[in-house]
Every structure is written in structure tokens, then in C-alpha cells.
Amino acid sequence: MGVPGWFARERADGDRFADLVDGTASPEDDEFAHELALVGGLRELGAGGAPDAETRQRIRDEIAGRLAEAEAAPKRRGHVVANLAAAGVALVLALGGITLLLSKDALPGDPLYGIKRAGESTALGLTFDEQDKAKKHLEFAANRVGELDELTRQGAATDAYFTGLTDFETDLRAGVSRLTALVTDQGGQTRLADLRTWARQQSDRLGLQVGHAPVEARDKFAAARVLLDKVQERTTDLGSRLVCYTITTGSSDELGAVPADGDCVRDPDSPHAVLPPVTTPPPSSAPTGSPAPTSAPPSAAVDTAAPTGPIAPPTGGTPPPVVPVPGPTNLPPLPTPTITPKPPLISIPPLIPGLPPITIG
């Protein structure tokens, strides 16, 4: 569709008038005479109202002052922005603390569960003792087992079980590898025994949950229990090598140091030797006030026991008078024996959370 003829003429007239106003063209006869006269009058009015030199200088100074204020404004805004940033950080920290508190009871699959795990990682980062770190890892792993039990009661989705069991295995491996490294360096049959008991307890807890978990997650439960069985086997094998010259192969796997499998050549000076059990002496039956003999009488001591038969006369001299031996009815009453009380029992807190205390008596 072409451009209408009237529109083309109007546009051509407008271009022609613009050229006449700019002075790039000369009018023909009375072409745009009225319009050009109006433009000339407006120009004269504008020239008459133009500011003088003093007014122009005042305007220039005013503009320069405004520019200076504009340059100083970012500095003042920087202080304001810094204050706003500090307030924002404080608000974020406050909200973060509240969020961390609310995530305490979060379960795998919950929106706040990631915040809970981040808080646990922070707690591990602030723990510098290796044994305490190992205990924290095992504590977190035990928490995952409790959370899986709660998921079973709530009928959670399969993905939540996979998340919980994966995190359980991660903490289990980290805790066991740190603890076995400490045992190979410092010894400690008690640590291994406690770890073995703990692994058996967690395996039993998972075994009670398998039947109620989704079918798709049961293979993951089985894999976690197999890993716990390996932990029990590792603690047994490692404990049997602590008195040997060669304890480990020098290599490590997901559970830490690998025990050596060759013949055990006992090291009599090994600090890992098992200590003998503490024995309590039997109660004394000596009467009150009579100290118990500490050693056998010397060979020259006189035997004061009552004779059991006739006394042989001496080989020479006047025979001594015969002293009658009292019968059973003439024996004095025997003193009542005093039983020494046993020492009190000593209770040692468990090295791994969740185990019963160790009692030494």
C-alpha cells in the first residue's frame, strides 16, 4: 500500500519550512511569509530577555556548587550504606540463629534439615581434639538412626530414607577411621570394645526398622548394616594385633587403618599390651585385733599347736608330768571371724555416647 499523496505533500512542506527557518533556503515570493515573521518576532523576544554577564556568572557558580555537592554525596552515602550493611548482617545472624534453633528437630527431607547438617559441620570445625571429633561423628550417626525411626512412624517418602542413611554412613566412616587411628597410635582396648558394642546396638536398631521402611529403601538399610558388621570385625581384628610388633599393614580404607594379617610376633614392651584385670583380695578371717600373718614362721619358732597324740618321753632324766588333753567338750568357744568389707565399686563413664558405664570392683 503506497503513501497517500496528501501525506507526501505535507511532509514536503514541513521540510521546506524547516529549511527556511534554519536559513538554509530562501523563500519564493510570499512563501510562508506569515509563519517566518512569527518566528522572527519570537527570536527578538528571546534575545531581549537573555541574562547579562553577571547573571550568567551567578548561574555558573550555582551549577559548580551543585556539582561539588554531588561529588561529596557518595561519601555520605557510603557511611549510610555501611550502617545499613551492619544492620543487615546483624539481622541475618539473628535470623540464622533462630533458623538453626528451629532446625534442631528437622528430619531428612525437611527444608531445615540442610541447616541442621550445616550446624553439625560447624560444631565439628570448632572441635580440635581428635577423640572428641570421633565421638561427635558417632553421635551424629546415632542421631540419624533415631531420625530414621521417626520417618518410619510418619510414613515418609523413600528419598528421605536415602538421605538419612547416606548421612549415617558418612558420619560412621569418619568416626570409626578417626578412632582406629587413635587406637593404633595410643592403644586402648576399651575404646575398641566400646565401639564394637556401639556398632552392634546401631545394627539392631536398624534391623527393627527395615520391616516398616519402604521396599525401595530396604537395600540401603541392608548396606548400612553390612557396614556396621565390618566395623565390628575391624575392631576385633585390630584389638588382637595391639600386642604384636606389626599392628597394621600401613594402608587405610573407608574405616581407617587396616590390621595386619600375618603371624603375630608379640612385643613385650608394646604400650598396647592388655592390662591384667584388677583383682580384689579375699576377705580376712582373722579375729578382731589379731593381725593376719604376713609370712611363714621361721624354722626356729616353737610350734604352739595342740598335740594330737601322746607325747614321747625324753631319752633321759625324770619324765615330765603327763598333762591330760582336753576333750571336745572342754574346748573354749571359737572367736567370731570379722569379714573385711569389699572396696566400693568404681564407675567409669563410657567413651562412646549411648553405652552403659564401665564398673570396676
Side-chain angles (χ1 to χ4, degrees):
M1 181 176 179
V3 179
W6 63 268
F7 182 79
R9 288 193 300 271
E10 290 290 338
R11 185 170 62 182
D13 292 343
D15 294 340
R16 175 66 179 168
F17 179 74
D19 293 338
L20 294 175
V21 171
D22 293 338
T24 57
S26 300
E28 297 178 358
D29 299 332
D30 294 335
E31 184 183 15
F32 299 110
H34 178 71
E35 289 82 358
L36 292 175
L38 179 61
V39 171
L42 292 174
R43 286 177 173 174
E44 290 178 0
L45 290 174
D52 54 13
E54 182 181 357
T55 302
R56 288 196 297 270
Q57 184 62 39
R58 188 177 68 252
I59 295 173
R60 188 179 297 110
D61 295 340
E62 181 70 18
I63 293 174
R66 296 292 179 88
L67 291 176
E69 291 180 358
E71 292 179 357
K75 297 181 180 179
R76 292 196 299 269
R77 285 198 301 269
H79 293 296
V80 175
V81 171
N83 293 333
L84 292 176
V89 170
L91 180 60
V92 169
L93 292 176
L95 293 177
I98 295 174
T99 304
L100 186 60
L101 181 62
L102 293 176
S103 68
K104 182 179 180 181
D105 298 327
L107 299 176
D110 291 349
L112 295 178
Y113 179 72
I115 302 297
K116 181 178 182 177
R117 290 289 290 168
E120 293 176 350
S121 299
T122 303
L124 286 170
L126 296 175
T127 304
F128 303 101
D129 183 75
E130 286 299 313
Q131 180 169 327
D132 291 340
K133 277 191 176 182
K135 291 171 63 178
K136 279 188 177 296
H137 277 296
L138 297 178
E139 178 184 349
F140 296 153
N143 291 341
R144 299 293 88 82
V145 178
E147 292 165 358
L148 292 170
D149 191 23
E150 185 64 26
L151 290 177
T152 302
R153 283 195 289 268
Q154 295 183 6
T158 305
D159 293 342
Y161 284 92
F162 274 88
T163 301
L165 287 169
T166 300
D167 291 343
F168 166 78
E169 294 178 357
T170 300
D171 281 315
L172 175 63
R173 293 188 183 98
V176 173
S177 60
R178 289 180 181 276
L179 197 59
T180 52
L182 287 173
V183 169
T184 54
D185 292 339
Q186 305 173 7
Q189 284 282 3
T190 303
R191 293 173 179 170
L192 293 176
D194 289 343
L195 179 58
R196 184 163 52 249
T197 302
W198 179 89
R200 184 172 60 251
Q201 291 176 349
Q202 306 312 313
S203 180
D204 293 341
R205 294 175 65 189
L206 291 177
L208 296 175
Q209 301 173 15
V210 174
H212 304 284
V215 178
E216 297 82 359
R218 293 182 182 178
D219 290 342
K220 190 67 173 176
F221 271 93
R225 298 190 69 190
V226 168
L227 185 60
L228 287 169
D229 291 341
K230 290 182 179 179
V231 172
Q232 298 179 58
E233 181 180 358
R234 175 62 53 86
T235 56
T236 301
D237 295 343
L238 193 60
S240 64
R241 303 288 307 188
L242 290 182
V243 295
C244 307
Y245 278 107
T246 305
I247 300 176
T248 68
T249 60
S251 60
S252 300
D253 59 7
E254 60 179 355
L255 297 179
V258 178
D261 54 2
D263 295 335
C264 176
V265 180
R266 295 181 64 88
D267 180 9
D269 299 327
S270 172
H272 308 295
V274 182
L275 295 177
V278 179
T279 57
T280 304
S284 175
S285 58
T288 305
S290 300
T294 57
S295 60
S299 58
V302 178
D303 187 5
T304 58
T308 57
I311 301 176
T315 56
T318 305
V322 178
V323 180
V325 178
T329 57
N330 297 329
L331 292 176
L334 295 176
T336 303
T338 302
I339 300 176
T340 305
K342 295 183 178 180
L345 299 179
I346 300 175
S347 179
I348 301 176
L351 296 178
I352 298 178
L355 294 178
I358 302 173
T359 304
I360 300 177

Short mmCIF file of all heavy atoms in Angstrom, two decimals, residues 257-292:
data_model
loop_
_atom_site.label_atom_id
_atom_site.label_comp_id
_atom_site.label_asym_id
_atom_site.label_seq_id
_atom_site.Cartn_x
_atom_site.Cartn_y
_atom_site.Cartn_z
N ALA A 257 42.62 -47.56 59.58
CA ALA A 257 43.79 -48.43 59.48
C ALA A 257 43.36 -49.88 59.26
O ALA A 257 42.42 -50.37 59.89
CB ALA A 257 44.63 -48.32 60.75
N VAL A 258 44.08 -50.56 58.36
CA VAL A 258 43.79 -51.97 58.04
C VAL A 258 44.71 -52.85 58.89
O VAL A 258 45.94 -52.70 58.82
CB VAL A 258 44.02 -52.24 56.55
CG1 VAL A 258 43.77 -53.71 56.24
CG2 VAL A 258 43.11 -51.36 55.71
N PRO A 259 44.17 -53.76 59.70
CA PRO A 259 45.02 -54.62 60.54
C PRO A 259 45.88 -55.56 59.69
O PRO A 259 45.48 -55.99 58.61
CB PRO A 259 44.01 -55.40 61.40
CG PRO A 259 42.73 -54.64 61.30
CD PRO A 259 42.74 -53.98 59.96
N ALA A 260 47.08 -55.86 60.19
CA ALA A 260 47.94 -56.83 59.51
C ALA A 260 47.34 -58.21 59.65
O ALA A 260 46.64 -58.52 60.63
CB ALA A 260 49.35 -56.78 60.10
N ASP A 261 47.63 -59.08 58.67
CA ASP A 261 47.04 -60.43 58.69
C ASP A 261 48.10 -61.52 58.79
O ASP A 261 47.77 -62.70 58.64
CB ASP A 261 46.20 -60.64 57.43
CG ASP A 261 46.98 -60.36 56.15
OD1 ASP A 261 48.19 -60.03 56.25
OD2 ASP A 261 46.39 -60.46 55.06
N GLY A 262 49.35 -61.16 59.05
CA GLY A 262 50.39 -62.19 59.18
C GLY A 262 50.45 -62.74 60.59
O GLY A 262 49.57 -62.50 61.43
N ASP A 263 51.48 -63.55 60.84
CA ASP A 263 51.68 -64.11 62.17
C ASP A 263 51.98 -62.99 63.15
O ASP A 263 52.68 -62.03 62.84
CB ASP A 263 52.83 -65.12 62.16
CG ASP A 263 52.50 -66.34 61.31
OD1 ASP A 263 51.28 -66.62 61.14
OD2 ASP A 263 53.45 -66.98 60.81
N CYS A 264 51.47 -63.13 64.34
CA CYS A 264 51.65 -62.11 65.38
C CYS A 264 52.89 -62.45 66.20
O CYS A 264 52.93 -63.47 66.89
CB CYS A 264 50.41 -62.05 66.28
SG CYS A 264 50.58 -60.90 67.68
N VAL A 265 53.89 -61.62 66.11
CA VAL A 265 55.08 -61.74 66.96
C VAL A 265 54.90 -60.74 68.10
O VAL A 265 54.89 -59.54 67.89
CB VAL A 265 56.36 -61.42 66.15
CG1 VAL A 265 57.58 -61.54 67.06
CG2 VAL A 265 56.47 -62.33 64.94
N ARG A 266 54.71 -61.27 69.30
CA ARG A 266 54.38 -60.43 70.43
C ARG A 266 55.53 -59.51 70.80
O ARG A 266 56.68 -59.90 70.82
CB ARG A 266 54.00 -61.30 71.64
CG ARG A 266 52.73 -62.12 71.43
CD ARG A 266 52.40 -62.93 72.67
NE ARG A 266 52.10 -62.06 73.81
CZ ARG A 266 50.88 -61.59 74.08
NH1 ARG A 266 49.87 -61.89 73.28
NH2 ARG A 266 50.68 -60.83 75.13
N ASP A 267 55.16 -58.29 71.09
CA ASP A 267 56.11 -57.27 71.52
C ASP A 267 55.96 -57.10 73.03
O ASP A 267 54.97 -56.53 73.50
CB ASP A 267 55.83 -55.96 70.79
CG ASP A 267 56.80 -54.85 71.20
OD1 ASP A 267 57.77 -55.15 71.91
OD2 ASP A 267 56.56 -53.69 70.80
N PRO A 268 56.91 -57.59 73.83
CA PRO A 268 56.74 -57.50 75.29
C PRO A 268 56.76 -56.06 75.80
O PRO A 268 56.21 -55.78 76.87
CB PRO A 268 57.93 -58.30 75.84
CG PRO A 268 58.95 -58.27 74.74
CD PRO A 268 58.17 -58.25 73.46
N ASP A 269 57.36 -55.15 75.06
CA ASP A 269 57.43 -53.76 75.50
C ASP A 269 56.36 -52.89 74.84
O ASP A 269 56.42 -51.66 74.91
CB ASP A 269 58.81 -53.17 75.18
CG ASP A 269 59.93 -53.92 75.89
OD1 ASP A 269 59.69 -54.40 77.01
OD2 ASP A 269 61.03 -54.03 75.30
N SER A 270 55.40 -53.51 74.20
CA SER A 270 54.38 -52.74 73.49
C SER A 270 53.49 -51.99 74.48
O SER A 270 53.03 -52.57 75.46
CB SER A 270 53.53 -53.66 72.62
OG SER A 270 52.43 -52.95 72.07
N PRO A 271 53.26 -50.69 74.24
CA PRO A 271 52.33 -49.95 75.12
C PRO A 271 50.88 -50.36 74.90
O PRO A 271 50.01 -49.96 75.66
CB PRO A 271 52.56 -48.49 74.72
CG PRO A 271 53.02 -48.55 73.30
CD PRO A 271 53.82 -49.82 73.19
N HIS A 272 50.63 -51.18 73.86
CA HIS A 272 49.27 -51.59 73.57
C HIS A 272 48.89 -52.89 74.27
O HIS A 272 47.80 -53.42 74.05
CB HIS A 272 49.08 -51.80 72.06
CG HIS A 272 49.52 -50.63 71.24
ND1 HIS A 272 48.90 -49.41 71.31
CD2 HIS A 272 50.53 -50.50 70.34
CE1 HIS A 272 49.50 -48.57 70.47
NE2 HIS A 272 50.50 -49.20 69.89
N ALA A 273 49.82 -53.43 75.09
CA ALA A 273 49.53 -54.69 75.76
C ALA A 273 48.32 -54.55 76.65
O ALA A 273 48.08 -53.52 77.26
CB ALA A 273 50.74 -55.15 76.57
N VAL A 274 47.56 -55.63 76.74
CA VAL A 274 46.35 -55.61 77.55
C VAL A 274 46.73 -55.63 79.01
O VAL A 274 47.55 -56.45 79.46
CB VAL A 274 45.45 -56.82 77.21
CG1 VAL A 274 44.17 -56.78 78.02
CG2 VAL A 274 45.15 -56.83 75.73
N LEU A 275 46.19 -54.75 79.81
CA LEU A 275 46.48 -54.71 81.23
C LEU A 275 45.79 -55.87 81.93
O LEU A 275 44.67 -56.27 81.56
CB LEU A 275 45.99 -53.39 81.83
CG LEU A 275 46.70 -52.13 81.31
CD1 LEU A 275 46.05 -50.90 81.92
CD2 LEU A 275 48.17 -52.17 81.63
N PRO A 276 46.42 -56.46 82.97
CA PRO A 276 45.77 -57.55 83.70
C PRO A 276 44.56 -57.03 84.45
O PRO A 276 44.51 -55.87 84.85
CB PRO A 276 46.87 -58.03 84.66
CG PRO A 276 47.77 -56.85 84.83
CD PRO A 276 47.75 -56.14 83.51
N PRO A 277 43.55 -57.88 84.61
CA PRO A 277 42.35 -57.42 85.32
C PRO A 277 42.65 -57.11 86.77
O PRO A 277 43.52 -57.71 87.40
CB PRO A 277 41.38 -58.61 85.18
CG PRO A 277 42.28 -59.80 84.95
CD PRO A 277 43.46 -59.27 84.19
N VAL A 278 41.95 -56.16 87.33
CA VAL A 278 42.11 -55.77 88.73
C VAL A 278 41.43 -56.82 89.60
O VAL A 278 40.26 -57.14 89.41
CB VAL A 278 41.48 -54.39 88.98
CG1 VAL A 278 41.63 -54.00 90.44
CG2 VAL A 278 42.15 -53.36 88.09
N THR A 279 42.20 -57.40 90.55
CA THR A 279 41.67 -58.43 91.44
C THR A 279 41.53 -57.87 92.84
O THR A 279 42.35 -57.05 93.28
CB THR A 279 42.58 -59.66 91.46
OG1 THR A 279 43.90 -59.26 91.85
CG2 THR A 279 42.66 -60.30 90.08
N THR A 280 40.52 -58.31 93.55
CA THR A 280 40.28 -57.88 94.93
C THR A 280 40.69 -59.00 95.87
O THR A 280 40.29 -60.15 95.67
CB THR A 280 38.79 -57.57 95.13
OG1 THR A 280 38.40 -56.59 94.17
CG2 THR A 280 38.53 -57.03 96.53
N PRO A 281 41.54 -58.72 96.87
CA PRO A 281 41.98 -59.80 97.79
C PRO A 281 40.80 -60.36 98.55
O PRO A 281 39.83 -59.66 98.83
CB PRO A 281 42.97 -59.08 98.73
CG PRO A 281 42.60 -57.62 98.63
CD PRO A 281 42.10 -57.42 97.24
N PRO A 282 40.85 -61.69 98.89
CA PRO A 282 39.73 -62.30 99.62
C PRO A 282 39.64 -61.71 101.02
O PRO A 282 40.61 -61.24 101.60
CB PRO A 282 40.10 -63.78 99.66
CG PRO A 282 41.60 -63.80 99.50
CD PRO A 282 41.93 -62.64 98.62
N PRO A 283 38.44 -61.70 101.58
CA PRO A 283 38.27 -61.15 102.94
C PRO A 283 39.03 -61.96 103.98
O PRO A 283 39.14 -63.18 103.89
CB PRO A 283 36.76 -61.22 103.15
CG PRO A 283 36.28 -62.28 102.21
CD PRO A 283 37.17 -62.20 101.01
N SER A 284 39.57 -61.27 104.97
CA SER A 284 40.35 -61.93 106.02
C SER A 284 39.42 -62.55 107.05
O SER A 284 38.39 -61.99 107.39
CB SER A 284 41.27 -60.91 106.70
OG SER A 284 41.93 -61.49 107.77
N SER A 285 39.80 -63.76 107.58
CA SER A 285 39.00 -64.44 108.61
C SER A 285 39.67 -64.36 109.97
O SER A 285 39.28 -65.07 110.89
CB SER A 285 38.80 -65.90 108.22
OG SER A 285 40.06 -66.54 108.06
N ALA A 286 40.71 -63.51 110.09
CA ALA A 286 41.39 -63.40 111.38
C ALA A 286 40.50 -62.67 112.37
O ALA A 286 39.73 -61.80 112.00
CB ALA A 286 42.71 -62.66 111.22
N PRO A 287 40.57 -63.02 113.68
CA PRO A 287 39.74 -62.33 114.67
C PRO A 287 40.15 -60.88 114.82
O PRO A 287 41.27 -60.49 114.49
CB PRO A 287 39.99 -63.13 115.96
CG PRO A 287 41.31 -63.81 115.74
CD PRO A 287 41.38 -64.09 114.28
N THR A 288 39.21 -60.08 115.35
CA THR A 288 39.45 -58.66 115.53
C THR A 288 40.59 -58.44 116.50
O THR A 288 40.64 -59.03 117.57
CB THR A 288 38.19 -57.98 116.08
OG1 THR A 288 37.11 -58.26 115.20
CG2 THR A 288 38.39 -56.48 116.19
N GLY A 289 41.49 -57.54 116.11
CA GLY A 289 42.62 -57.22 116.98
C GLY A 289 43.81 -58.10 116.74
O GLY A 289 44.87 -57.86 117.31
N SER A 290 43.67 -59.19 115.96
CA SER A 290 44.80 -60.09 115.70
C SER A 290 45.23 -59.88 114.27
O SER A 290 44.49 -60.24 113.35
CB SER A 290 44.39 -61.55 115.91
OG SER A 290 43.96 -61.73 117.25
N PRO A 291 46.37 -59.27 114.01
CA PRO A 291 46.81 -59.05 112.62
C PRO A 291 47.08 -60.36 111.91
O PRO A 291 47.55 -61.32 112.51
CB PRO A 291 48.09 -58.21 112.78
CG PRO A 291 48.59 -58.55 114.15
CD PRO A 291 47.37 -58.81 114.98
N ALA A 292 46.73 -60.38 110.64
CA ALA A 292 46.95 -61.59 109.85
C ALA A 292 48.43 -61.76 109.61
O ALA A 292 49.15 -60.79 109.39
CB ALA A 292 46.21 -61.49 108.52
#
